[in-house]
Amino acid sequence: MATASVVASLMAVLSSSSSASAFAPSSSSLRTTTTANDVSSTKLFHWANRFDVRFEEQSSDDESPLRQETAAKHKLQPISEEFTRRSILSIGVIGTTLSTLLSSSLPANADFAPGGTLLDRPVYVTYGNSEASPTRAPNNSNVLFAQDNYYKFGSAAQWIEAGSTEFPKTMPFVPSQQRYDALKKFNGRVQTSKDQIVKIGSVSSGADVPDSDDPAYQLRALGLLANSFLASENTGTTNELMLARWYINEMYLRIGDYRGALQKGDQKDAEACYGYLTKAMNSYLTLINRSISSKVGDQFSYL
């Protein structure tokens, strides 16, 4: 394999992990400058790639009868001095080229998303949405559903206006029967979740706000409904499903933020946290409602 091919393959990987996506804020793309000094046109002869040429057929004309019986066998030929020099040179060229490429092409603030995606921008929990909960762990370890929008794209998602269809641009295809069955099963639990969030909005003490993982919020049921509405056996885990999970995780975190603000007596912060909590719920409901047609059932109302 030539050095140019190695560089091209690496650049393809870096390009495919760009942060620009409908589910993450766009950023400046990677800029790579490759000169004649970076990529050598010399063919690389690594011994592992040339191993087969070191075997030669044994001639049967000048061998004993015993050796003639094994004429089809091969013997290993010595490695030439030139061959060894080329092998060492090839390894050095590849190592130097890759090191130069990685150090010069990636921005200084490049980072990995929790899911392992290499991005050409910084990664933090409020990137793209300053109203996202700052209490989310950088490695996404303190949420209900680890594999969400932040896990994959390393950024917070934008809110969706109630009833809007502008974001995301498209929705995954899921059989209507699957959505019908899921809505019939989880409809009541979604209503319970909405009612509980409305209820805690009128309290004045943190003691009156159940913990985020309390079953009263039915947040896991929201995730189960999203699984049936935004993914199927054919699609697998979709970006839209990860988006729905991010909104649920924000509800989970904001309930805790809201409770903590009330316990500290910070009414202003409590009101802000509750406002973000309702934004997360309405964003989730809007996403789900887009998959509820007349054949599936009635859409959910908003907070």
Side-chain angles (χ1 to χ4, degrees):
M1 179 186 295
T3 308
S5 300
V6 176
V7 176
S9 299
L10 181 61
M11 288 309 301
V13 173
L14 294 178
S15 299
S16 65
S17 63
S18 174
S19 62
S21 168
F23 296 86
S26 61
S27 62
S28 56
S29 57
L30 293 176
R31 299 179 60 187
T32 305
T33 303
T34 305
T35 64
N37 294 328
D38 296 327
V39 182
S40 172
S41 60
T42 304
K43 291 185 178 180
L44 306 181
F45 294 91
H46 193 278
W47 68 268
N49 298 330
R50 305 250 315 175
F51 192 71
D52 57 327
V53 301
R54 294 164 53 202
F55 290 94
E56 293 183 357
E57 288 286 345
Q58 188 68 260
S59 175
S60 60
D61 298 334
D62 55 352
E63 293 289 345
S64 64
L66 178 62
R67 297 296 292 177
Q68 292 179 9
E69 292 179 4
T70 58
K73 295 185 178 180
H74 306 283
K75 75 174 184 177
L76 186 64
Q77 301 300 316
I79 303 176
S80 67
E81 182 179 353
E82 177 186 6
F83 186 74
T84 303
R85 288 199 304 269
R86 285 178 173 174
S87 301
I88 296 175
L89 177 62
S90 70
I91 297 173
V93 170
I94 292 176
T96 302
T97 302
L98 295 183
S99 176
T100 302
L101 180 64
L102 292 175
S103 61
S104 63
S105 300
L106 292 177
N109 58 0
D111 203 353
F112 287 92
T117 305
L118 177 59
L119 304 170
D120 58 354
R121 56 166 175 77
V123 172
Y124 50 92
V125 298
T126 58
Y127 184 92
N129 186 344
S130 60
E131 295 179 345
S133 175
T135 56
R136 180 188 293 259
N139 63 355
N140 226 27
S141 61
N142 64 337
V143 294
L144 282 180
F145 303 101
Q147 295 187 19
D148 65 353
N149 193 83
Y150 172 70
Y151 173 87
K152 181 174 182 179
F153 297 104
S155 66
Q158 67 185 67
W159 302 126
I160 305 177
E161 292 293 330
S164 173
T165 59
E166 294 183 2
F167 175 77
K169 296 298 184 182
T170 60
M171 297 293 286
F173 172 77
V174 176
S176 58
Q177 185 63 48
Q178 176 177 314
R179 286 175 281 145
Y180 174 84
D181 293 339
L183 183 61
K184 183 178 180 180
K185 182 177 181 179
F186 296 109
N187 184 26
R189 298 171 70 176
V190 173
Q191 294 294 345
T192 299
S193 179
K194 291 171 53 184
D195 293 342
Q196 181 62 28
I197 290 178
V198 170
K199 180 180 178 180
I200 64 174
S202 60
V203 304
S204 56
S205 172
D208 297 325
V209 180
D211 291 334
S212 299
D213 54 0
D214 193 293
Y217 297 109
Q218 294 291 325
L219 296 182
R220 293 192 181 277
L222 302 186
L224 294 174
L225 179 65
N227 288 345
S228 297
F229 267 52
L230 303 174
S232 67
E233 293 182 356
N234 293 331
T235 65
T237 302
T238 64
N239 290 337
E240 291 78 13
L241 176 56
M242 289 191 171
L243 181 63
R245 289 174 177 173
W246 186 85
Y247 293 131
I248 299 170
N249 285 336
E250 282 298 299
M251 293 181 225
Y252 177 83
L253 294 169
R254 282 308 184 181
I255 290 171
D257 297 342
Y258 175 62
R259 186 172 188 266
L262 287 176
Q263 289 176 334
K264 292 185 296 184
D266 191 338
Q267 188 62 32
K268 183 178 180 180
D269 186 35
E271 291 177 358
C273 290
Y274 185 76
Y276 303 144
L277 170 58
T278 58
K279 283 186 176 182
M281 173 58 89
N282 284 337
S283 295
Y284 167 84
L285 293 174
T286 300
L287 193 60
I288 293 298
N289 278 344
R290 287 181 62 179
S291 294
I292 302 179
S293 62
S294 57
K295 293 182 179 180
V296 174
D298 297 327
Q299 294 188 347
F300 295 104
S301 60
Y302 303 105
L303 300 183

